[in-house]
C-alpha cells in the first residue's frame, strides 16, 4: 500500500538487452496483490532508457490520483517504446482494495522515443486521465502520440505532439 509518495529530481539511465521500465506504481509485488497506491507524485525526473527489446518510462497501474509531471523521458528500443503507460485491466486480480486506475494527471512532460512501435502516452481502461502541456515526439516505423482503449473522462489539451511513421498496419499494438 503506497500513499502520498514522491519520486522526484532523479536521473535514471538504463541500458540492456531485455524489457526495461524506469518507474512503476502498482499494487502487485512478488506474487501478491495489495491495496492500490493513491496520491503519489512522479515529478522532475530525467529518464533515459535503451534496450534491444522494449522500454517503458513510467508504468502506472491500479492507482488513484497519481500526478506525473515535469519529467523528461527519452526512449530507444528495437521493438516497442511507451513513455507513460496508464492502465487498468479486468484481468488483474480484484480485491475490495483494488482501484480502477483513475484521476491520473500527466502534465508538462517531454517524451521522445524511437523504436519499431511507439506509444508516447497510452491509457488503457483508465478513467479521468488529464493530459496537458506535454511535448511528445516520435519518428518510428509506427508512432502514436496518444493511444486510448476503453477509457472514460479523459481530457487531452494543450499538448505539442509530433509523430511520424511509415507503417500502415493499424493492428500493430497486438
Amino acid at each position: 500500500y503506497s500513499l502520498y509518495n514522491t519520486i522526484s529530481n532523479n536521473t535514471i539511465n538504463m541500458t540492456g538487452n531485455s524489457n526495461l521500465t524506469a518507474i512503476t506504481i502498482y499494487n502487485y509485488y512478488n506474487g501478491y496483490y495489495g491495496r492500490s497506491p493513491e496520491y503519489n507524485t512522479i515529478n522532475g525526473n530525467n529518464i533515459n532508457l535503451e534496450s534491444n527489446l522494449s522500454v517503458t518510462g513510467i508504468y502506472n497501474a491500479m492507482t488513484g490520483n497519481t500526478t506525473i509531471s515535469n519529467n523528461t523521458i527519452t526512449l530507444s528500443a528495437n521493438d516497442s517504446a511507451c513513455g507513460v503507460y496508464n492502465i487498468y485491466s479486468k484481468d488483474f486480480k480484484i480485491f475490495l482494495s483494488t482501484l480502477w486506475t483513475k484521476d491520473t494527471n500527466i502534465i508538462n512532460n517531454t517524451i521522445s522515443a524511437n523504436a519499431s512501435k511507439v506509444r508516447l502516452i497510452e491509457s488503457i481502461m483508465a478513467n479521468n486521465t488529464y493530459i496537458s502541456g506535454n511535448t511528445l515526439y516520435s519518428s518510428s516505423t509506427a508512432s502514436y502520440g496518444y493511444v486510448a482503449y476503453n477509457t472514460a473522462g479523459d481530457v487531452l489539451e494543450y499538448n505539442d505532439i509530433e509523430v511520424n511513421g511509415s507503417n500502415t498496419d493499424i493492428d500493430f499494438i497486438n
Side-chain angles (χ1 to χ4, degrees), residues 6 32-33 37 48-49 60 63 66 68 76 97 102 110 114 118 123 129 137 140 144 146 155 157 168-169:
T6 300
Y32 297 97
Y33 286 86
N48 301 290
L49 304 179
N60 184 57
T63 67
T66 301
I68 300 167
S76 178
S97 62
K102 63 179 184 174
T110 299
N114 189 334
V118 171
S123 187
T129 303
Y137 175 78
S140 300
Y144 288 84
Y146 170 69
V155 174
E157 63 184 7
T168 58
D169 181 4

Side-chain angles (χ1 to χ4, degrees), residues 1 34 61 73 94 123 170:
Y1 189 44
I73 302 171
I94 306 257
S123 187
I170 61 171

Side-chain angles (χ1 to χ4, degrees), residues 8-56:
S8 67
N9 301 315
N10 298 289
T11 298
I12 301 170
N13 297 311
M14 299 171 72
T15 302
N17 294 317
S18 61
N19 298 322
L20 302 175
T21 301
I23 297 173
T24 298
I25 305 291
Y26 187 24
N27 73 330
Y28 179 81
Y29 176 73
N30 204 23
Y32 297 97
Y33 286 86
R35 292 184 66 184
S36 290
E38 293 186 81
Y39 305 102
N40 292 293
T41 300
I42 302 168
N43 179 63
N45 298 287
N46 187 2
I47 298 169
N48 301 290
L49 304 179
E50 184 176 344
S51 176
N52 288 329
L53 288 177
S54 297
V55 294
T56 301

Side-chain angles (χ1 to χ4, degrees), residues 68-122:
I68 300 167
S69 62
N70 301 307
N71 298 286
T72 300
I73 302 171
T74 305
L75 307 172
S76 178
N78 287 345
D79 187 27
S80 67
C82 184
V84 176
Y85 194 21
N86 190 49
I87 182 172
Y88 174 85
S89 172
K90 56 188 169 190
D91 295 333
F92 295 145
K93 293 183 179 180
I94 306 257
F95 298 100
L96 293 176
S97 62
T98 299
L99 293 175
W100 197 285
T101 301
K102 63 179 184 174
D103 302 322
T104 303
N105 295 301
I106 304 171
I107 304 168
N108 296 330
N109 299 284
T110 299
I111 305 171
S112 61
N114 189 334
S116 179
K117 300 168 269 192
V118 171
R119 291 118 36 238
L120 296 167
I121 296 176
E122 185 169 3

Side-chain angles (χ1 to χ4, degrees), residues 151-164:
T151 63
D154 284 10
V155 174
L156 181 73
E157 63 184 7
Y158 308 113
N159 297 284
D160 182 8
I161 303 170
E162 182 180 341
V163 296
N164 297 298

